[in-house]
Amino acid sequence: MRWFIFIIIVAVADYYAFQSLRTITKSNWWYILYWVFTVAVIGNFVYQFYGFSRSDGFSHTNAYAVGFLIALVVPKLVLIAVMFTEDVFRVPQGIYSYFMQGSDNGDSVKHFPARRKFISQIALGLAAIPFTSILYGMYKGKYNFKVLKYTLHFDDLPKAFDGYKLTQISDIHSGSFDNIDKVKYAVDLINEQQSDVILFTGDIVNNKATELEPYVPIFNKLKAKDGLYSVLGNHDYGDYVRWNSEDDKKQNLENLKSLQKQIGFDLLLNESRFIEKNGERIALVGVENWGKGGFKKAGDLKKASEQINKNDFKVLLSHDPSHWDAQVVNDDYHYHVTLSGHTHGMQFGIEIPGWFKWSPVKWRYKRWAGIYEELGQYINVNRGFGYLAFPGRVGIWPEITVIELKKGSQKANA
């Protein structure tokens, strides 16, 4: 029944959007092309998800079915919005004409002003913007890696770490990749930054450890003189698929931990490590996933910090940025830098670096992309290395973050 309702709603909305095309052309070929594309996309979506089983996970064909549906629906929402705006004026005119001039033998349709061609042209032109943007995001945007560099200043940074560089990556989601050469390129780009340490903040897979296996020989090329460290994200626990048994689920997590070790990551499971230099040190603290809104809360900040001192300079790895506001920023231990991910910036938005950034995800997460500061502490929310569900990115590009720590009191510079 839900599929029937879905198709009826889409068909009604589609026919309304179709009016813009009818206004500017009388060619049956364009009409046929419009409906063939529409039926093919909707039909493929229904085919991919009718009887969808969570035990199988979310495949590439599922992702592209979602992607093409979005490419179909979003532009048509623009068309509908413009056509409806025209009808706000057109319908009252028709009603007024009908009652003031008479029914004219019952033919009420002729009282409505004809749709204006230039309005339909505007509607189609506006709809073309999200249509081409979404297709670009699926074809190239998802691998349009950007290196974002920040400098953070701290009065209490140990002098030996003045100029110390961290590279953060997050949300690899290896099960979504469909171009291994682009992943190789991104790994080379990470190594080119020549940072002192590489920190990964969770979600290395969508659901299953097997997704990571083809990419282990690529990611184990990552190099940093002080090592590679990681934490788990909500997707790494395998909570979003149905397993044959709880033992299978536990084994999947153990396999994932083993693969991370093969890559070279030191996986921090509510643990800490010290990086020492010239008799001074900074602490790396890693918590398991902790997220608001129904997400797993395996993270234990107190346990992770048991081996460090309150006065240590601290870099915290915590996958979900909601953890920062809920537990971290007001903690007595004062975590100087927190590195998170999780939001992906929703893989959709508008950014003009240094001037403007917007994404619908801002209505869900207070900290959703970039650097935020409060009480002398910073959090960076990485936009993610990979992608999930929608097989693309529009305006919010995959990110490699490089943070340089400087001794002093100047504010953050991007």
Side-chain angles (χ1 to χ4, degrees):
M1 176 59 73
R2 64 181 180 180
W3 286 110
F4 177 76
I5 295 173
F6 167 77
I7 292 172
I8 292 298
I9 293 173
V10 170
V12 171
D14 233 314
Y15 182 78
Y16 191 68
F18 178 64
Q19 302 306 310
S20 60
L21 184 64
R22 291 182 61 187
T23 302
I24 66 172
T25 181
K26 303 302 179 185
S27 171
N28 288 330
W29 287 110
W30 279 109
Y31 301 164
I32 292 171
L33 182 62
Y34 178 96
W35 287 113
V36 165
F37 179 72
T38 297
V39 171
V41 170
I42 296 174
N44 181 55
F45 180 81
V46 172
Y47 173 77
Q48 293 295 333
F49 287 95
Y50 186 79
F52 173 75
S53 173
R54 283 181 57 198
S55 62
D56 296 329
F58 197 80
S59 68
H60 287 152
T61 54
N62 293 144
Y64 277 99
V66 170
F68 284 117
L69 185 70
I70 292 172
L72 176 77
V73 170
V74 174
K76 288 184 179 179
L77 290 177
V78 174
L79 288 176
I80 291 170
V82 176
M83 303 305 287
F84 179 78
T85 301
E86 183 183 27
D87 283 347
V88 168
F89 300 96
R90 181 172 168 264
V91 171
Q93 290 178 36
I95 294 172
Y96 177 83
S97 175
Y98 177 80
F99 285 105
M100 296 303 294
Q101 299 178 21
S103 62
D104 196 12
N105 296 323
D107 186 3
S108 60
V109 175
K110 67 183 297 182
H111 290 277
F112 285 84
R115 292 194 180 276
R116 287 169 288 184
K117 185 175 182 179
F118 85 93
I119 294 293
S120 294
Q121 289 173 330
I122 290 173
L124 288 168
L126 292 174
I129 296 173
F131 182 71
T132 55
S133 297
I134 292 167
L135 291 183
Y136 174 83
M138 292 168 63
Y139 179 59
K140 282 195 171 182
K142 60 189 176 185
Y143 296 121
N144 186 23
F145 295 99
K146 300 295 183 184
V147 177
L148 301 184
K149 298 183 178 183
Y150 302 92
T151 302
L152 302 182
H153 292 76
F154 302 91
D155 286 329
D156 57 348
L157 178 71
K159 186 176 180 181
F161 290 88
D162 187 19
Y164 196 78
K165 288 172 62 177
L166 323 168
T167 284
Q168 180 200 3
I169 54 176
S170 191
D171 299 88
I172 287 174
H173 288 287
S174 52
S176 296
F177 293 138
D178 56 12
N179 189 325
I180 200 164
D181 289 333
K182 295 295 185 181
V183 180
K184 291 178 180 178
Y185 161 77
V187 167
D188 289 340
L189 191 59
I190 293 169
N191 286 334
E192 285 176 12
Q193 307 313 310
Q194 297 184 330
S195 289
D196 297 288
V197 67
I198 294 175
L199 307 172
F200 172 67
T201 47
D203 279 1
I204 202 165
V205 296
N206 295 341
N207 296 295
K208 298 180 178 180
T210 52
E211 299 166 12
L212 182 58
E213 290 174 355
Y215 298 96
V216 169
I218 298 172
F219 287 116
N220 68 14
K221 299 292 193 300
L222 290 170
K223 302 296 179 186
K225 69 180 183 66
D226 288 333
L228 285 63
Y229 298 85
S230 65
V231 293
L232 296 175
N234 55 297
H235 280 266
D236 295 324
Y237 296 91
D239 288 339
Y240 306 126
V241 293
R242 291 194 180 97
W243 299 93
N244 292 328
S245 68
E246 190 63 26
D247 287 341
D248 285 347
K249 181 179 178 180
K250 291 179 180 178
Q251 186 59 53
N252 177 73
L253 183 56
E254 293 305 312
N255 293 343
L256 185 69
K257 293 176 182 178
S258 177
L259 291 172
Q260 289 217 30
K261 187 175 182 180
Q262 290 179 42
I263 290 172
F265 283 120
D266 183 354
L267 180 60
L268 304 180
L269 301 170
N270 294 323
E271 301 172 273
S272 63
R273 304 284 188 269
F274 289 109
I275 297 178
E276 298 186 2
K277 190 175 181 182
N278 298 337
E280 296 181 300
R281 70 183 190 181
I282 62 173
L284 298 181
V285 183
V287 296
E288 294 196 49
N289 191 79
W290 193 104
K292 294 180 69 175
F295 290 104
K296 182 181 286 290
K297 291 180 173 62
D300 188 332
L301 186 61
K302 296 300 182 185
K303 180 181 178 182
S305 302
E306 285 177 346
Q307 304 302 316
I308 67 175
N309 296 326
K310 185 175 182 179
N311 293 328
D312 282 321
F313 187 93
K314 307 168 199 70
V315 177
L316 173 66
L317 282 65
S318 180
H319 176 70
D320 191 318
S322 65
H323 187 213
W324 196 64
D325 285 298
Q327 292 190 349
V328 177
V329 72
N330 292 310
D331 192 278
D332 291 340
Y333 258 43
H334 189 85
Y335 294 85
H336 299 76
V337 181
T338 297
L339 304 178
S340 297
H342 182 62
T343 72
H344 299 207
M346 203 175 169
Q347 297 169 212
F348 173 82
I350 302 170
E351 284 200 81
I352 303 173
W355 291 87
F356 178 80
K357 67 179 179 183
W358 176 88
S359 169
V361 78
K362 68 176 291 184
W363 298 320
R364 172 66 177 83
Y365 287 96
K366 183 178 181 181
R367 327 283 179 176
W368 61 273
I371 294 279
Y372 302 85
E373 186 269 338
E374 193 169 320
L375 300 177
Q377 300 164 87
Y378 294 92
I379 181 173
N380 181 64
V381 185
N382 185 285
R383 293 158 181 82
F385 183 93
Y387 51 92
L388 180 68
F390 172 60
R393 285 178 174 266
V394 179
I396 304 292
W397 312 121
E399 175 180 344
I400 298 162
T401 311
V402 178
I403 296 175
E404 183 178 12
L405 305 178
K406 294 292 291 181
K407 191 170 182 63
S409 57
Q410 187 176 337
K411 291 289 186 179
N413 296 321

